[in-house]
């Protein structure tokens, strides 16, 4: 049984997916650290061990993400835009757009029914609207990243975080803490700020879409899911493992290449 | 950040480089000899000045030159250190940088005796030229051209012509030089010839494969911007047109397999013209630029009512001086005429007239089936250029176009 | 707080809702304008209410999809409100070529906001040229014709004269009110003055005049209390809310004069009612336009120096939107000239929807430093 490997070498985490006959057989998510090539290599070795397969069982490897150029073992490198599109469409056929919020960037991608990219917009020059924003705030509030979602949903009066700059927003949060504002209200305000930023970025592309997928590590955050859903006026489709969608897409592209479809 | 150098393809380009070097040598020598120096903004009727002994100097050309030598960021910093905001136009900052520090490729430019500013690109030009007038304590003439909605009104043309006469008086008062009408006719005729050749060149870029890249075209702009009314420019362009025509006859293009025909919108990224090499590797060629072909330089003039009117027809209605609806119309027609597959919308932090409205242009191009990618940077300040980010975006864009082609 | 001032503050806080109500109640068309250079009297003479389009302090929701982040927050905020439908009551807009951003903003609004009537004034920049005056009169005539076409009614010279009379009264009253700040005697603060001035942009000048007359009477009767606080002049661009002025005055200074688009640059002089209406409007526009977007660096520097001397200001705060090219170009030169007469200058750049806590803390510190430099506590 031949395996196809998708590697998404992101700035924060590396995702390795093994796929066979269109189905995900195994996946790993680990921090990238300073050496993206070494991390990817190690993760692939671990994956092979855990699936009891050797290098001969691997038909092809496709790499995506910011570190993709460094993954020397990859047979092909494709941008994360194209991979996210492919991955999302495979999980939710008929999806029309993807919102992806990663560690250091956010992107909105419009796709057709085959997962082909029709349009995209990215924000990667500013931490606001990315996972980094959440990380900074978690540190200030001394709250775990996994607690943000539930806390946010329990708030009845979210505060308004108006600063567009992460550094200034951090100051706003500190002021709220000093004032004794309930932490759930602050957290809810933070989630609202991120959702607003991403919605503002992608509004034009998302207009008219009814089936929208939310991917990336931040998609696990219920507070942000709600923030986006409220603004979009619909329910978002969140995959069970929103972080690996890019790697899944890469694997699919690998599969298509083998079949001569690309 | 080391950018790849752009490649020059045509023999005529070598001639242009020679012309540039000699021109710079000449202007410093001319200053020493006591000739009058006029600093002018990019889209100025240089034809008038060619009828006199005044030496026309274009700081914007020196800006592009300095930036291509990777000196943009340092020179901008020289201005910032002396109290100018980092958020004002980088052309202005860079220029003030070499004016105040003397650290340009050849030092500063030879000091001006007079300053000539046109308002057909932006209002920032006026602020910048006023700043220089203040610093150098030299007289300034502003040739004010209001925004044109499609075509100039009679009142606007009259306004231009009135000021043209006043400009002649200004030149006489400040330099003792006279602009003579018969000489002006001669110069305008030479300029028209430059425009004819430039138009021929642009026309040939409609062919597939496109025979000349934007890099080569950007490098030739020295001729249309600063020397349109010279025989030497005519000669070089004649040579270039012949060389490009030979390419067309042989079916030769910038790339062997032209996969994607693209448009470049906004000013060139002067420190990274090699970006085009990157695109060309993927078979993507920029076949037309609004900057090189539609800002007024190299435009065919209306010669039916005398030289002053001809200049009005060239210098009033450039792309940067139009209302947004007119810009959109032009972009959509370029998409059709040049059979574009996509557009590169360079969102230039330093140029509001060019960049603000680009989202509307993106939407309008989409309506005629042309996809575009927008990326933000600056035209001469390389500190605002995030290479990985931009490359990633362009790569995703090319993948999108590639998949579109496969789907068809 | 004086009840006229609190009326204005309350009105400004809900200005868009109030305008919606006004329209319903009065069945009168409303035309929005940007900048201080539009001849509002022509709109008024056409029987419509001219209303200044302003932004808010709310974070953006929609404008980012049409305007880049390096465009000033005022423009983005205005567009955002329009895209959100908050300006739905507008029947039209008139926008002048003031700065390059406003010029480009008009195009974006025209293409993306449904409006019955849109007009752009293709103003020249060289206001000192006699031929520019000719062109501006042509623009006025074109605007007048377009307004007539829109309303179906002719605008007579008499209509314009009557409008000019109302507007002149407004300008005169605002000039009187502005002068109260000079005394620096706690009768009206810079913040309060701006609130009163802002209210005038979103109501009929006749109503504003009534408010102003009452306020002037109240202030004349109020007991002056001398203030030893440092006297500041605030020079900047379009300030559509008083938050920044409050921060400045709370830090321990008195704003005794301003050079703002929404302040003295708006009402600085009056239209000569003896002239033909369009000529009078033209002369008024040419004489009081010291806006940096029209260049004329030395003229502005001289004007600011005169104002500093006349108002006995001890320091200048240059307060403008981030990315405002016309203002940014002037800063270094204004600073140099002020230094020659030993007037310290503080530059504050802001984005109008930035939070109160974050950048405001830094701004407060800098204002305090300026105050300490002047010698106050």
């Amino acid at each position: 049984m031949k395996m196809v490997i998708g590697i998404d070498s992101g700035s924060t985490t590396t995702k390795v997916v093994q796929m066979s006959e269109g189905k995900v057989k195994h996946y790993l998510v680990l921090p990238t650290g300073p050496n993206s090539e070494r991390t990817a290599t190690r993760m692939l070795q671990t994956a092979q061990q855990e699936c009891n397969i050797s290098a001969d069982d691997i038909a092809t490897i496709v790499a995506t993400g910011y570190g993709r150029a460094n993954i020397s073992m990859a047979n092909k490198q494709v941008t994360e835009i194209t991979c996210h599109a492919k991955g999302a469409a495979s999980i939710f056929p008929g999806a029309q757009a993807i919102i992806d919020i990663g560690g250091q960037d956010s992107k909105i991608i419009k796709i057709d029914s085959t997962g082909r990219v029709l349009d995209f917009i990215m924000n990667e020059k500013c931490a606001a609207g990315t996972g980094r924003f959440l990380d900074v705030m978690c540190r200030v509030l001394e709250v775990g990243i996994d607690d943000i979602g539930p806390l946010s949903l329990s708030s009845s009066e979210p505060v308004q975080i108006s600063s567009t700059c992460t550094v200034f927003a951090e100051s706003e949060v500190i002021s709220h803490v000093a004032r004794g504002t309930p932490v759930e209200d602050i957290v809810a305000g933070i989630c609202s700020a991120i959702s607003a930023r991403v919605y503002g970025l992608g509004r034009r592309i998302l207009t008219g879409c009814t089936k929208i997928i939310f991917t990336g590590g931040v998609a696990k955050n219920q507070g942000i899911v709600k923030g986006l859903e409220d603004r979009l006026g619909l329910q978002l489709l969140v995959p069970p493992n929103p972080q690996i969608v890019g790697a899944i897409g890469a694997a699919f592209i690998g599969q298509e290449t083998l079949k001569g479809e690309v | 950040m080391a950018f790849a150098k752009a490649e020059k393809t045509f023999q005529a380009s070598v001639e242009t480089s020679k012309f540039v070097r000699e021109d710079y040598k000449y202007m410093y020598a001319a200053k020493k000899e006591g000739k009058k120096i006029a600093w002018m903004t990019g889209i100025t009727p240089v034809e008038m000045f060619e009828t006199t002994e005044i030496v026309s100097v274009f700081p914007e050309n020196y800006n592009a030159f300095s930036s291509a030598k990777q000196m943009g960021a340092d020179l901008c910093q020289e201005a910032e250190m002396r109290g100018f905001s980092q958020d004002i136009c980088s052309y202005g900052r860079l220029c003030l940088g070499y004016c105040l520090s003397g650290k340009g490729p050849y030092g500063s430019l030879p000091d001006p005796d007079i300053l000539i500013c046109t308002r057909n690109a932006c209002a920032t030009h006026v602020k910048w030229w006023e700043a220089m007038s203040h610093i150098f304590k030299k007289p300034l003439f502003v040739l004010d051209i209001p925004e044109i909605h499609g075509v100039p009104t009679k009142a606007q043309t009259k306004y231009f012509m009135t000021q043209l006469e006043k400009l002649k008086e200004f030149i006489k008062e400040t330099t003792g030089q006279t602009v003579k009408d018969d000489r002006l006719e001669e110069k305008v005729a030479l300029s028209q010839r430059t425009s004819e050749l430039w138009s021929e060149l642009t026309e040939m870029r409609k062919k597939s494969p496109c025979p000349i890249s934007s890099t080569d075209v950007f490098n030739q702009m020295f001729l249309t911007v600063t020397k349109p009314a010279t025989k030497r420019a005519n000669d070089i362009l004649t040579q270039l047109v012949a060389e490009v025509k030979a390419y067309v006859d042989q079916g030769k293009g910038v790339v062997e397999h032209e996969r994607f025909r693209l448009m470049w919108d906004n000013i060139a990224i002067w420190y990274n013209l090699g970006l085009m090499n990157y695109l060309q590797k993927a078979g993507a060629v920029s076949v037309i630029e609004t900057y090189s072909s539609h800002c007024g330089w190299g435009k065919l003039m209306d010669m039916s009512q005398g030289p002053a009117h001809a200049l009005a027809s060239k210098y009033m209605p450039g792309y940067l001086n139009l209302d947004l609806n007119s810009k959109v119309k032009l972009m959509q027609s370029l998409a059709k005429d040049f059979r574009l597959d996509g557009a590169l919308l360079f969102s230039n932090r330093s140029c509001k007239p060019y960049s603000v409205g680009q989202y509307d242009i993106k939407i309008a191009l989409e309506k005629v089936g042309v996809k575009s990618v927008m990326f933000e940077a600056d035209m001469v300040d390389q500190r605002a250029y995030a290479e990985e980010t931009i490359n990633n975006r362009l790569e995703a864009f090319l993948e999108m176009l590639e998949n579109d082609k496969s789907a068809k | 707080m004086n009840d006229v001032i609190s009326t204005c503050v309350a009105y400004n806080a809900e200005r868009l809702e109030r305008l919606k109500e006004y329209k319903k109640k009065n069945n009168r068309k409303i035309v929005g304008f940007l900048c201080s250079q539009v001849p509002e009297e022509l709109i008024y003479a056409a029987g419509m209410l001219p209303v200044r389009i302003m932004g808010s302090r709310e974070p953006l929701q929609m404008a980012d999809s049409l305007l880049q982040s390096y465009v000033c927050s005022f423009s983005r905020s205005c567009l955002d409100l329009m895209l959100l439908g908050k300006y739905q009551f507008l029947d039209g807009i008139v926008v002048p070529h003031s700065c390059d951003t406003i010029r480009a903003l008009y195009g974006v609004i025209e293409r993306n906001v449904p409006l019955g009537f849109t007009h752009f004034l293709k103003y020249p920049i060289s206001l000192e040229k006699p031929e520019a005056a000719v062109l501006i009169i042509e623009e006025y005539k074109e605007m007048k014709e377009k307004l007539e076409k829109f309303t179906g009614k002719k605008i007579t010279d008499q209509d314009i004269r009557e409008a000019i009379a109302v507007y002149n009264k407004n300008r005169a009253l605002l000039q009187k009110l502005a002068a109260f700040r000079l005394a620096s005697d706690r009768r009206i603060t810079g913040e309060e003055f701006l609130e009163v001035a802002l209210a005038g942009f979103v109501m009929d000048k006749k109503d504003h005049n009534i408010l102003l007359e009452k306020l002037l009477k109240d202030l004349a009767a109020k007991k002056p209390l001398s203030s030893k606080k440092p006297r500041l002049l605030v020079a900047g661009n379009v300030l559509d809310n008083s938050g920044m002025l409050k921060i400045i005055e709370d830090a321990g200074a008195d704003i005794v004069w301003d050079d703002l688009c929404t302040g003295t640059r708006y009402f600085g002089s009056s239209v000569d009612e003896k002239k033909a209406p369009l000529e009078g409007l033209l002369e008024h526009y040419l004489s009081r336009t010291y806006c940096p977007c029209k260049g004329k660096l030395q003229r502005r520097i001289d004007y600011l120096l005169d104002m500093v001397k006349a108002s006995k200001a001890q320091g200048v705060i240059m307060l403008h939107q981030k990315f405002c090219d016309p203002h940014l170009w002037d800063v270094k030169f204004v600073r140099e000239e002020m230094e020659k007469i030993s007037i310290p200058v503080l530059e504050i750049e802001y984005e109008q929807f930035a939070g109160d806590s974050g950048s405001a803390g830094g701004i407060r510190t800098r204002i305090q430093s300026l105050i300490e430099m002047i010698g106050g506590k």
Side-chain angles (χ1 to χ4, degrees), chain B residues 21 32 35 71 130 142 155 169 172 175 185 189 200 209 221 273 312 380 387-388 394 396 399-400:
Chain B
R21 278 196 307 275
K32 281 212 179 84
K35 287 220 163 83
M71 296 169 77
E130 276 193 2
V142 175
E169 289 164 26
K172 184 73 198 243
T175 68
E185 231 179 281
E200 235 187 291
M221 281 178 70
L273 290 177
V380 288
E387 188 165 34
E388 256 195 51
L394 291 176
E399 280 169 10
M400 188 169 77

Side-chain angles (χ1 to χ4, degrees), chain A residues 65-68 77-83 105 112 116-125 204 261-262, chain B residues 349 359 362-363 366 371-373 376 388-397 399-400 403-407:
Chain A
Y66 270 112
R68 66 181 175 277
Q77 277 112 356
V78 182
T79 69
E80 56 274 33
I81 312 265
T82 307
C83 287
D105 66 25
D112 73 3
R116 195 162 60 93
V117 175
L118 297 174
D119 197 359
F120 67 92
I121 195 157
M122 286 176 81
N123 162 46
E124 67 281 73
K125 58 181 169 100
R204 187 180 52 82
E261 278 167 31
V262 174
Chain B
R349 291 184 73 91
Y359 282 109
K362 189 183 203 315
I363 294 167
E366 186 84 48
K371 295 214 173 95
S372 53
V373 62
E376 190 183 300
E388 256 195 51
T389 300
I390 290 176
N391 284 357
N392 200 43
R393 222 174 258 208
L394 291 176
E395 217 180 299
F397 179 62
E399 280 169 10
M400 188 169 77
N403 290 335
D404 279 356
K405 242 199 168 91
S406 313

Side-chain angles (χ1 to χ4, degrees), chain B residues 284-342:
Chain B
V285 182
S286 171
V287 305
I288 185 71
E289 309 78 37
T290 48
Y291 190 55
S292 62
S293 309
H294 292 87
C295 284
W297 305 299
K299 178 167 190 263
L300 286 166
M301 296 180 269
D302 174 4
M303 307 289 268
S304 65
Q305 291 178 62
H309 190 90
L311 292 176
S313 70
K314 179 180 178 189
Y315 289 103
M316 290 185 79
Y319 184 77
L320 291 173
N321 205 29
L322 297 175
D323 62 302
L324 184 55
N325 283 340
S326 299
K327 284 163 106 178
V328 163
K329 270 203 201 94
L330 176 66
M331 293 297 252
Q332 287 179 324
S333 75
L334 287 178
K336 193 167 131 240
D337 293 344
F338 287 81
R339 290 169 298 110
L340 298 179
D341 297 299

Side-chain angles (χ1 to χ4, degrees), chain C residues 10-283:
Chain C
Y11 192 89
N12 289 336
E14 310 199 305
R15 54 190 174 211
L16 299 181
E17 287 76 19
R18 297 300 186 94
L19 284 169
K20 232 163 92 187
E21 288 162 18
Y22 175 91
K23 183 160 184 199
K24 247 198 248 150
K25 207 166 138 206
N26 293 278
N27 193 24
R28 183 183 179 190
K29 287 199 165 67
I30 301 182
V31 172
F33 65 90
L34 282 165
C35 301
S36 301
Q37 305 169 10
V38 172
E40 292 173 61
E41 282 93 327
L42 294 181
I43 300 171
Y44 199 83
M48 302 188 278
L49 177 69
V51 145
R52 187 172 192 143
I53 297 169
M54 293 184 278
S56 77
R57 305 198 67 182
E58 298 300 308
L60 299 179
Q61 291 183 53
M62 301 181 101
D64 280 334
S65 61
L66 290 170
L67 291 176
Q68 290 93 329
S69 59
Y70 50 80
V71 173
C72 73
S73 64
F74 173 73
S75 300
R76 287 146 73 206
S77 185
C78 289
L79 180 67
D80 209 59
L81 293 175
M82 297 185 93
L83 292 171
L84 289 168
K86 302 274 170 82
Y87 271 103
Q88 213 160 45
F89 55 82
L90 286 181
D91 294 281
I93 56 163
V94 177
V95 175
H97 189 163
S98 47
C99 68
D100 284 334
T101 296
I102 292 293
R103 170 200 165 195
L105 176 64
Y106 172 78
V108 176
I109 293 174
E110 204 191 3
R111 293 181 67 83
N112 294 280
V113 181
L115 285 159
F117 171 85
T118 58
H119 187 67
F120 185 78
L121 289 157
K122 307 179 289 298
Y123 280 161
I125 198 173
S126 301
L127 299 185
E128 81 289 1
K129 297 186 182 181
E131 55 268 27
V134 171
L135 199 63
I136 297 171
I137 292 282
E138 285 305 309
E139 287 296 319
Y140 284 176
K141 286 193 186 137
E142 193 187 330
M143 177 176 161
K144 182 167 162 285
E145 278 164 29
K146 236 172 131 175
L147 288 168
E148 287 170 337
K149 214 162 147 210
F150 182 58
T151 59
K153 212 173 54 126
K154 258 222 155 292
I155 300 171
T156 66
D157 270 4
Q158 186 53 26
D159 293 329
I160 307 175
R161 284 190 197 282
E162 282 169 15
I164 288 174
V166 173
Y167 273 74
N168 268 354
K169 184 165 183 197
N170 189 256
R171 292 174 184 120
L173 291 169
L174 282 167
Q175 283 159 24
K176 275 207 183 91
L177 187 64
F180 267 98
R181 295 176 302 181
L182 289 170
S184 187
D185 58 12
R186 317 244 188 122
R187 280 189 279 190
I188 189 166
T189 65
E191 176 199 351
E192 291 167 339
F193 174 79
L194 185 65
E195 286 289 335
V196 175
L198 289 175
F201 288 124
V202 285
M203 63 173 69
D204 191 315
K205 299 297 190 200
K206 284 203 185 102
D207 297 330
H208 198 228
N209 291 347
I210 293 170
L211 286 172
L212 288 171
E213 278 171 327
K214 168 127 199 328
L215 180 57
L216 285 166
K217 240 163 95 192
D218 291 346
L219 293 185
K222 196 170 166 190
K223 185 173 172 195
L225 283 165
S226 89
S227 156
K228 299 263 190 322
K229 293 196 208 154
R231 301 165 64 84
L232 297 179
L233 187 152
V234 173
N237 56 13
V238 57
L239 201 55
D240 60 21
N241 70 84
S242 61
M244 274 297 167
L245 300 190
K246 180 175 166 57
I247 292 176
I248 293 169
E249 287 182 317
D250 281 353
D254 281 337
I255 297 172
V256 295
W257 204 249
D258 76 82
D259 174 48
L260 297 169
C261 302
T262 38
T264 64
R265 234 185 272 139
Y266 177 72
F267 56 80
S269 72
S270 293
V271 177
D272 187 343
E273 295 183 47
K274 293 197 284 303
K275 287 200 146 70
L278 293 186
E279 266 73 39
L281 287 173
L282 171 74
E283 189 198 43

Side-chain angles (χ1 to χ4, degrees), chain A residues 45-100:
Chain A
Q45 282 167 356
T46 307
Q48 283 170 235
Q49 277 167 16
E50 289 183 5
C51 295
N52 218 354
I53 58 166
S54 73
D56 293 331
D57 298 315
I58 295 171
T60 190
I61 301 173
V62 175
T64 185
Y66 270 112
R68 66 181 175 277
N70 301 331
I71 314 296
S72 53
M73 58 189 160
N75 302 104
K76 193 180 174 123
Q77 277 112 356
V78 182
T79 69
E80 56 274 33
I81 312 265
T82 307
C83 287
H84 270 90
K86 232 343 142 342
S90 71
I91 301 170
F92 294 106
Q96 297 159 313
I98 302 146
I99 299 172
D100 177 73

Side-chain angles (χ1 to χ4, degrees), chain B residues 196-231:
Chain B
E196 284 166 3
L197 291 160
W198 196 251
S199 303
E200 235 187 291
L201 195 64
T202 308
E203 210 40 47
M204 287 194 279
R205 298 176 80 193
K206 288 181 180 170
K207 300 258 186 269
S208 217
C210 175
I212 181 169
S213 74
S214 60
T215 310
D216 279 303
V217 170
F218 281 144
N219 281 323
Q220 300 311 311
M221 281 178 70
F222 169 80
L223 302 172
T224 54
V225 174
T226 71
K227 304 289 173 198
T230 64
K231 185 160 185 310

Side-chain angles (χ1 to χ4, degrees), chain B residues 71-86 90 93-98 100-101 103 381 383:
Chain B
M71 296 169 77
D74 288 339
L75 289 170
C76 285
Q77 262 190 310
E78 293 289 340
E80 290 155 28
M81 287 186 328
R82 290 166 170 79
F84 291 96
S85 166
Q86 196 184 32
S90 59
R93 275 181 284 144
L94 200 166
C95 174
L96 289 165
Y98 54 69
L100 298 170
S101 73
K103 290 183 181 167
D381 184 354
R383 291 172 295 177

